[in-house]
Amino acid sequence: MAQRFRALLDLCKRRGFLYQSAEIYGGLRGAYDYGPLGVELKKNILNSWWRRHVYFRDDVVGLDTSIITPHPVLKASGHVDEFTDLLVDCTLTKERFRPDKAPPLTFIADKENKSGHIPLTAPDKATAVAWQKLIQEQLAPGILMTLKNNQLLLQVQALTQPDEQGQGGMIAFATESGQPFNVNYHGYVEPDSNSPFLTDSRPFNLMFKTFLDPIDPIDRVIQTTKNHSPDNSLPLREAVDEVLRPSTVYLRPETAQGVFINFEQVVRTMKTKPPFGIAQVGKSFRNEIRLEHGIFRTPEFEQLELEYFVAPWESRHWYNYWRRQRYQWWMELASHPDNFRQRDHSANEMAHYATGCTDVEYLFPWGWGEVEGVAHRGNYDLTQHMNNSNANFEVIEDTPTISADVDGDVSMIPEERPARYVPHVVESSCGLNRAMLAFLCDAFHEVRDDSGKNKPPRTVLKLHPRLAPIKCAVMPLTGKPEFMSITQKVAKSLRRHGWYTVVESQKLKIGKRYYRHDEIGTPWCITVDYQSLEDHTVTIRDRDTGDQERVHWKEVQHVVAKRLMEGEADDLLD
Ligand code: ATP
């Protein structure tokens, strides 16, 4: 599995999907640049999402709000105080990680006994030796352990598992003196090494803070520090925060807050009322504790977010509706639908104001991972912004009704007319970069060579045609002018539709040219051959079946248009 993922990342780099950012300067961890094909794939995912949720409906409009967000917005939304993850440091490996994403201890028990050993895996033997020294001298002096290449085996006398809250767990290490050396165990270890030598967890705010001010804020920090004395009413840290507050801004950690604070403007300017939605696509930033799996978790990423505003008594209905809708989108584009699933959150996983949350997950090579969350957020966000600004987000409804087919909540309908209420919101929040990674993993397909010549497998990227970066590659059999003339005519007819079309006229065998395009997911190769010169027909080769169809060159655009549209949002448009 890991090998396949490496092969995919190698393909992404080799064929221009993804590059390490600032590679010529040694690269920046967690930062990626999208190459010519990556940018197309990302744009096609975005377009598919936008078409389904904005253009194919009459109840959703778009918005594009500022990334730089002032302090009061994110204070009111709760992000300043609560957008935190727990962070743990490993005192052995110096790695930082999130305990909620970390695995439990790998413990090899001696028969049915509670004693046994804990294997620690170092990247290499030299590191294992250094770890052994650190454990012996500082972390757990006197404990018994053996070194085997890059592995350290720590002898355990007894292991007590923690309770559901992660309390009460204990590892009693065996020592030379016979007196056990105890280490707390909260139910997780450092993910890469299996190390149980950890600090306590502490909250860490994920937002990137900066200052919108022509004057260097450091000067004000220095000045405040110099002037601060023990008699000050505020402790130094708070005094510094206070002086910086007027110019404090954040890079938004989600696009949603920009939608909420513009709610009233959109209602007024578009003359709309619930149920309706606002879609926004854009960058978000999180100072993640642990960056992992290429573009799966990065500090800078893009979100496709839809906030759908509804009357409280219809919110349950719309939550269920959007759960289905969103899954339908994934299913429409998936090559292996079995590798996607929906997972409902348990009550303790949800934000305190949410009454429902479902993740869409994909089975990545390292296990199931969230690609999207659909949440019923109640009226928390709009109420918070109303309470902290002069805005009034109440809407008026004369005749609140729930039709027979709606699984709404009749008990929530107010008796008084007209009914005034703060809308509830159902949110779907999908990571564009994660979606790209999921679709790439989903499409990655290796074809073994059956010629008996022991050739390595070749790759076919079975991306949905609507997602494929290049839609058509037009290939003249030779570069002679008579072939090029039809080739250019076909290419132009396709480009007029806005489909990324390339001409492949190099002196490579046609089969090799097909394979190069299979590798990057091009669904159709159009070949201009000798027959084309006689009757103006060309062949269209299908990436997945290898079948070829001969049509007049003017027909190619119609064939491609029909196939590209196949199955798109049929449920909405029929
Ligand atoms: P996780 O538990 O993986 O950190 P989350 O529950 O914090 O994700 P949400 O706040 O629900 O994520 O964000 C919505 C979507 O945004 C996620 O489903 C994911 O696709 C994407 N996303 C969130 N954080 C990142 C990140 N650091 N890098 C890439 N995509 C991200």
Side-chain angles (χ1 to χ4, degrees):
M1 261 325 204
Q3 205 180 346
R4 265 171 66 90
F5 190 56
R6 266 199 303 277
L8 173 65
L9 292 182
D10 172 62
L11 168 77
C12 285
K13 189 170 172 181
R14 202 163 32 81
R15 299 302 307 271
F17 283 87
L18 265 186
Y19 308 128
Q20 179 76 54
S21 194
E23 192 173 89
I24 60 168
Y25 291 101
L28 176 64
R29 212 164 73 88
Y32 292 89
D33 296 338
Y34 291 80
L37 298 191
V39 93
E40 294 299 327
L41 173 55
K42 204 145 62 85
K43 202 148 51 72
N44 292 341
I45 298 172
L46 187 161
N47 285 344
S48 160
W49 186 91
W50 194 268
R51 280 157 68 86
R52 187 177 177 98
H53 299 311
V54 183
Y55 297 157
F56 290 176
R57 310 179 60 98
D58 56 11
D59 58 350
V60 177
V61 293
L63 195 68
D64 184 6
T65 67
S66 169
I67 286 174
I68 297 177
T69 311
H71 182 270
V73 173
L74 294 164
K75 178 74 182 167
S77 66
H79 285 85
V80 170
D81 298 317
E82 282 156 35
F83 195 59
T84 52
D85 275 338
L86 288 178
L87 172 153
V88 170
D89 285 303
C90 176
T91 47
L92 179 67
T93 65
K94 313 296 179 218
E95 285 293 322
R96 292 206 150 145
F97 64 94
R98 275 171 64 173
D100 60 327
K101 304 272 180 203
L105 180 73
T106 300
F107 172 69
I108 299 165
D110 299 339
K111 295 193 189 118
E112 282 165 23
N113 211 318
K114 280 194 165 182
S115 64
H117 65 267
I118 295 175
L120 302 190
T121 309
D124 48 52
K125 185 159 186 192
T127 313
V129 171
W131 286 359
Q132 185 180 31
K133 192 160 177 277
L134 186 63
I135 296 171
Q136 266 162 358
E137 291 177 2
Q138 292 177 32
L139 303 179
I143 71 167
L144 299 175
M145 63 185 130
T146 35
L147 178 68
K148 263 195 195 166
N149 297 321
N150 66 332
Q151 276 216 326
L152 275 175
L153 305 177
L154 313 185
Q155 286 301 314
V156 172
Q157 207 169 303
L159 172 69
T160 315
Q161 291 292 345
D163 60 21
E164 279 193 357
Q165 280 71 46
Q167 300 305 316
M170 183 74 74
I171 305 166
F173 285 107
T175 63
E176 288 154 9
S177 67
Q179 188 68 19
F181 186 97
N182 293 334
V183 168
N184 286 335
Y185 173 50
H186 296 293
Y188 50 81
V189 286
E190 194 275 303
D192 295 335
S193 63
N194 192 38
S195 161
F197 300 109
L198 311 172
T199 62
D200 286 341
S201 62
R202 60 188 187 281
F204 169 84
N205 195 296
L206 297 182
M207 285 198 295
F208 283 100
K209 189 197 267 192
T210 185
F211 304 95
L212 197 63
D213 198 337
I215 298 165
D216 187 350
I218 297 293
D219 291 341
R220 278 188 282 153
V221 174
I222 294 170
Q223 214 48 48
T224 313
T225 311
K226 271 188 184 162
N227 295 343
H228 195 265
S229 76
D231 318 331
N232 277 76
S233 55
L234 287 177
L236 178 59
R237 174 69 214 221
E238 286 176 36
V240 169
D241 282 344
E242 187 90 348
V243 83
L244 292 176
R245 184 139 312 132
S247 57
T248 300
V249 292
Y250 299 91
L251 302 185
R252 67 180 175 202
E254 59 178 25
T255 68
Q257 296 306 321
V259 170
F260 299 133
I261 58 179
N262 279 290
F263 173 77
E264 197 270 333
Q265 311 221 60
V266 174
V267 168
R268 187 159 34 83
T269 51
M270 302 307 287
K271 304 204 179 345
T272 184
K273 64 176 190 172
F276 85 100
I278 302 179
Q280 168 152 235
V281 171
K283 291 220 169 177
S284 294
F285 300 82
R286 297 182 189 178
N287 199 356
E288 296 278 1
I289 291 164
R290 197 178 170 91
L291 304 164
E292 52 188 359
H293 309 309
I295 55 171
F296 180 80
R297 191 181 300 283
T298 49
E300 173 182 343
F301 56 99
E302 278 157 275
Q303 289 183 305
L304 310 167
E305 292 202 300
L306 174 73
E307 309 300 325
Y308 198 78
F309 299 95
V310 299
W313 45 92
E314 291 188 0
S315 58
R316 202 187 323 142
H317 159 74
W318 287 111
Y319 171 57
N320 289 329
Y321 171 86
W322 281 108
R323 286 168 80 221
R324 288 193 301 270
Q325 274 293 313
R326 288 302 304 134
Y327 201 57
Q328 180 72 25
W329 180 79
W330 287 99
M331 291 300 97
E332 212 174 275
L333 298 171
S335 174
H336 300 93
D338 289 352
N339 286 344
F340 291 83
R341 72 175 185 193
Q342 284 180 296
R343 187 181 68 82
D344 286 335
H345 278 209
S346 57
N348 62 3
E349 275 180 282
M350 281 189 282
H352 62 91
Y353 49 82
T355 52
C357 190
T358 305
D359 284 347
V360 178
E361 296 184 333
Y362 177 73
L363 187 54
F364 287 100
W366 56 90
W368 290 100
E370 172 187 337
V371 286
E372 166 164 357
V374 180
H376 181 328
R377 295 172 74 116
N379 61 8
Y380 174 81
D381 302 276
L382 291 183
T383 309
Q384 282 297 105
H385 290 302
M386 269 173 68
N387 292 344
N388 288 279
S389 70
N390 294 325
N392 182 358
F393 293 146
E394 279 183 329
V395 295
I396 300 171
E397 182 151 303
D398 290 317
T399 50
T401 52
I402 297 184
S403 59
D405 60 334
V406 166
D407 47 350
D409 191 342
V410 184
S411 67
M412 288 174 94
I413 300 181
E415 281 176 10
E416 243 175 61
R417 295 289 182 284
R420 278 176 188 280
Y421 64 89
V422 178
H424 281 215
V425 66
V426 176
E427 172 184 272
S428 99
S429 177
C430 170
L432 177 54
N433 321 71
R434 274 195 201 173
M436 172 168 158
L437 189 62
F439 285 129
L440 279 169
C441 291
D442 183 54
F444 189 78
H445 185 79
E446 287 183 315
V447 182
R448 309 242 153 241
D449 176 63
D450 50 14
S451 67
K453 289 188 186 151
N454 213 9
K455 283 195 204 153
R458 69 181 186 92
T459 303
V460 181
L461 217 46
K462 293 194 173 182
L463 286 167
H464 191 287
R466 284 196 285 281
L467 301 187
I470 297 175
K471 300 289 181 253
C472 299
V474 193
M475 304 179 176
L477 220 47
T478 80
K480 288 185 186 154
E482 58 270 34
F483 285 90
M484 288 312 287
S485 149
I486 300 189
T487 300
Q488 289 301 350
K489 281 199 265 190
V490 179
K492 279 184 194 161
S493 73
L494 298 170
R495 287 172 179 159
R496 274 178 53 215
H497 293 265
W499 302 322
Y500 186 13
T501 302
V502 295
V503 169
E504 296 289 6
S505 56
Q506 62 286 61
K507 279 194 191 135
L508 213 56
K509 275 194 186 147
I510 205 86
K512 283 225 163 110
R513 284 186 256 170
Y514 287 158
Y515 284 4
R516 276 184 59 74
H517 274 276
D518 287 349
E519 195 182 32
I520 54 174
T522 307
W524 300 294
C525 290
I526 324 293
T527 309
V528 177
D529 56 15
Y530 285 102
Q531 194 175 328
S532 314
L533 305 183
E534 288 164 18
D535 62 7
H536 303 285
T537 61
V538 294
T539 60
I540 306 177
R541 172 193 177 262
D542 183 281
R543 176 196 67 200
D544 299 334
T545 60
D547 293 348
Q548 303 202 13
E549 183 185 354
R550 188 168 277 280
V551 299
H552 191 277
W553 74 262
K554 286 185 181 165
E555 270 304 300
V556 177
Q557 57 181 315
H558 303 301
V559 173
V560 171
K562 187 161 170 280
R563 296 199 188 151
L564 275 177
M565 271 170 63
E566 258 164 31
E568 184 172 20
D570 281 348
D571 54 317
L572 290 178
L573 298 175
D574 277 352

